[in-house]
Amino acid sequence: MPSNPRDGVHSQAIIEADVIVIGAGLSGLVAAAQAFAAGKRVAVLDQEPSASVGGQAHWSFGGLFLVNSPEQRRLGVKDSAELALGDWLASAAFDRPEDSWARLWAEAYVDFAAGEKRRWLRSLGVRLFPLVQWAERGGYGPQGHGNTVPRFHVTWGTGPGVVQPFLAKVNEGVARGRISLHFRHRATEMTTTAGGVTGVGGEILGASGAGRGEASSRTVVGRFEATAGAIIVTTGGIGGNHTLVRRQWPDGGAPEHMLSGVPASVDGAFLAAAAAAGGRLINGDRMWHYPEGIHNHSPVWPSHGIRILPGPSALWIDATGRQLPAPLFPGFDSLGALRHILAGGHGHSWFVCNRTIALKEFALSGSEQNPDLTDKDIRLLVSRLNPGSDSPLRLFLDRGVDFLHAATATELAAKMNALTGSALIDPAQLDSLIHDRDVQVASGLGKDPQLAAIRAARRFATDKIMRVAPPHRLTDPEHSPLLAVRLSVLTRKSLGGLQTDLRSRVLDDSGVPVPGVYAAGEAAGFGGGGIHGYRALEGTFLGGCLFSGRAAGRDAAASV
């Protein structure tokens, strides 16, 4: 019999089901909904209170990678599965023997994104914002990293809009007595019988009133055992566990200071238990962290950071004031920019622009920072096009600790140095960079590849309407004041994880499925132990949870 689903109530320490799902994030909800739809009894375990159901997906911008969609076609975008797969493989750069399953997952996922994905989500009530965004633009030539065309489709309702239909299905299962929810149940180990995994054991944590995303207590008040014919691991990645992030950072090069783009509960703790039961963990050094993080002025979790989704016009300079080389313009190559910044020996960098560019081109990632899209508020959405309107971005511009305003480059450099407690920014060098950039704009043509990229971007309707400002001098008084934004490394996603086959079955070191064990979402590297390889094309994380969670739920249900 299941335990009472109310937080912290653990009247029974024995849980029995056909399928156990460990983790109530998006991939876990999808897997549970699929298993329930197949007629199975499902138990969902999660260490957090019920307030955090939906996990990281709730906080997301709701971006979905789609290929040759009606939204693209209406904007004149010519896309295809062949073009998208070429972009994916060029960006992933698979180069390890253990990438074999990840590549198969990539091929299957691109087919899904070009075919069934949109129809399936639409049948569930998910709708899309019509202006497709262009993330990870690349710039390394036709065979290099990046999206050849825009593919980032924002969900109408952002992350909560993606979570809602699957949470509704799970709640239906609860109402019908076939799904039980066990919050504050932290799984710590898998149990085996006759060579197969038959259940999980763990700790019951004390009741917590922590709100969504807030750090909750780890006080243990009891233990539980759960048995089932199939176990699905959907416990997420490691982005909230900076100790583990540093341990897995390639060549030990993590910066001294990092912000967290995910709650502290994203700790990666259960991955070791899955490995102890025979699952193969791979590609732990492949992670997706952003170089454009800013401190949240109203933090929810420890070291809470927000990512700026930038247009291409700001000057991006390193901690010493040197401009990042082409094609490391804002929004073109997250990993390349991160590597370049950290290679200089400092953990921060800067966007330098003016207020006009910031209001036009800076978007903030996350459902809570986009109330117009999240709340499906058309009137508020229209006001986004008015640079003078109140918005979450305006709050950051006016109150954010990382945002500095000045009338001149010399004054701006002094404020930048004061904020970091250093003298790394040479005022004369910054003034020269801004002056020379403005000369290129004034020429009407110019030799600056960034200006060429800006003009090319404005050929695309979405960019011209809402994402890219017309080229102008940074020092033009009409667009003042000058603005500098300190950027920190923001932890976010694990690109590696438990290796799985296309049925989401966890594989052992010999490539053989571990009996009774599945994995989905970030815990599985979104499929195969690393579907993205080294780089993500964006909009692929939520989609990876959907695709792998669906596969895991269906196959687990069929196996019991």
Side-chain angles (χ1 to χ4, degrees):
M1 294 289 294
S3 67
N4 192 312
R6 291 177 299 165
D7 297 344
V9 177
H10 48 92
S11 56
Q12 300 185 52
I14 302 296
I15 301 167
E16 296 178 351
D18 299 317
V19 176
I20 291 173
V21 178
I22 310 173
L26 178 59
S27 58
L29 295 177
V30 173
Q34 293 294 315
F36 162 65
K40 304 303 178 182
R41 294 177 303 120
V42 184
V44 180
L45 314 176
D46 197 283
Q47 66 182 356
E48 294 306 298
S50 60
S52 288
V53 68
Q56 297 175 62
H58 173 89
W59 297 99
S60 78
F61 196 24
L64 295 169
F65 179 93
L66 293 170
V67 178
N68 192 27
S69 69
E71 290 76 19
Q72 288 175 300
R73 294 194 295 271
R74 290 189 198 105
L75 294 168
V77 175
K78 299 177 181 179
D79 201 5
S80 68
E82 180 182 11
L83 182 62
L85 182 59
D87 286 347
W88 191 295
L89 296 179
S91 300
F94 296 124
D95 61 358
R96 298 172 179 173
E98 57 267 36
D99 287 334
S100 56
W101 278 110
R103 180 174 178 130
L104 291 174
W105 270 95
E107 293 170 354
Y109 181 72
V110 170
D111 284 343
F112 176 62
E116 184 185 0
K117 181 179 180 181
R118 184 181 181 278
R119 294 192 302 273
W120 177 53
L121 290 173
R122 191 170 180 83
S123 73
L124 297 172
V126 176
R127 298 294 183 264
L128 302 173
F129 182 58
L131 296 179
V132 183
Q133 310 288 308
W134 199 345
E136 290 295 303
R137 302 178 189 226
Y140 297 97
Q143 296 180 314
H145 161 67
N147 285 296
T148 299
V149 298
R151 299 188 175 107
F152 190 86
H153 297 65
V154 177
T155 302
W156 187 233
T158 65
V162 179
V163 172
Q164 192 280 329
F166 302 101
L167 180 58
K169 192 68 175 178
V170 167
N171 285 335
E172 178 190 336
V174 172
R176 293 174 61 178
R178 295 223 316 272
I179 294 181
S180 57
L181 301 177
H182 306 269
F183 296 105
R184 305 299 283 160
H185 282 59
R186 179 171 62 183
T188 58
E189 61 183 353
M190 288 187 169
T191 55
T192 59
T193 303
V197 174
T198 55
V200 296
E203 301 163 338
I204 302 173
L205 304 178
S208 171
R212 181 182 294 277
E214 295 176 354
S216 61
S217 75
R218 291 294 179 260
T219 301
V220 177
V221 298
R223 290 195 58 82
F224 73 90
E225 293 181 359
T227 59
I231 314 297
I232 306 176
V233 181
T234 60
T235 51
I238 67 172
N241 184 341
H242 287 197
T243 299
L244 195 51
V245 168
R246 293 180 189 284
R247 187 182 306 156
Q248 295 186 184
W249 199 283
D251 302 318
E256 181 178 345
H257 170 71
M258 295 186 291
L259 298 176
S260 285
V262 295
S265 58
V266 186
D267 56 20
F270 193 74
L271 293 175
R280 187 185 188 193
L281 274 173
I282 60 173
N283 297 322
D285 61 325
R286 294 179 181 167
M287 296 177 280
W288 193 246
H289 305 311
Y290 293 111
E292 313 104 327
I294 55 174
H295 294 77
N296 191 341
H297 57 71
S298 302
V300 176
W301 54 78
S303 301
H304 189 173
I306 300 292
R307 184 200 175 198
I308 292 180
L309 300 170
S313 298
L315 291 172
W316 199 345
I317 63 176
D318 66 18
T320 66
R322 295 182 178 85
Q323 186 177 11
L324 272 60
L328 301 181
F329 312 129
F332 277 64
D333 178 10
S334 295
L335 181 60
L338 179 65
R339 287 173 171 172
H340 181 88
I341 291 162
L342 296 184
H346 301 278
H348 72 279
S349 62
W350 301 90
F351 284 157
V352 174
C353 58
N354 56 36
R355 194 170 180 87
T356 295
I357 290 174
L359 288 172
K360 177 80 170 183
E361 299 195 5
F362 288 178
L364 301 174
S365 181
S367 57
E368 81 280 22
Q369 303 301 331
N370 295 276
D372 49 355
L373 294 165
T374 301
D375 296 336
K376 304 179 183 180
D377 188 327
I378 294 177
R379 184 162 55 179
L380 190 59
L381 177 65
V382 171
S383 73
R384 181 185 287 239
L385 301 179
N386 177 9
S389 64
D390 289 332
S391 67
L393 176 59
R394 284 287 295 269
L395 285 177
F396 275 90
L397 289 177
D398 297 335
R399 293 171 46 188
V401 66
D402 298 299
F403 291 77
L404 305 173
H405 309 260
T408 68
T410 299
E411 180 187 349
L412 191 64
K415 290 186 175 183
M416 294 162 75
N417 286 332
L419 182 62
T420 60
S422 69
L424 292 173
I425 303 297
D426 183 326
Q429 179 181 319
L430 181 62
D431 182 74
S432 176
L433 175 60
I434 293 173
H435 173 270
D436 291 346
R437 186 266 187 197
D438 283 357
V439 167
Q440 292 292 305
V441 172
S443 74
L445 293 172
K447 62 184 179 181
D448 184 350
Q450 184 172 5
L451 287 175
I454 293 167
R455 291 176 178 128
R458 284 180 56 80
R459 294 170 52 199
F460 174 53
T462 300
D463 282 344
K464 188 171 185 177
I465 293 169
M466 62 181 299
R467 294 294 286 137
V468 184
H472 61 271
R473 292 182 295 113
L474 295 182
T475 54
D476 187 334
E478 184 180 339
H479 303 286
S480 64
L482 288 172
L483 179 69
V485 186
R486 180 182 60 180
L487 306 172
S488 302
V489 175
L490 180 74
T491 65
R492 185 62 66 86
K493 295 295 182 184
S494 306
L495 298 188
L498 291 163
Q499 190 174 42
T500 57
D501 64 12
L502 289 177
R503 294 160 59 182
S504 286
R505 298 181 300 178
V506 172
L507 306 178
D508 65 16
D509 288 338
S510 301
V512 175
V514 178
V517 184
Y518 297 78
E522 199 172 349
F526 302 92
I531 189 174
H532 299 93
Y534 290 94
R535 282 178 167 91
L537 289 176
E538 294 290 7
T540 56
F541 299 137
L542 291 181
C545 289
L546 297 171
F547 190 51
S548 61
R550 190 175 77 155
R554 288 178 175 180
D555 204 82
S559 73
V560 297

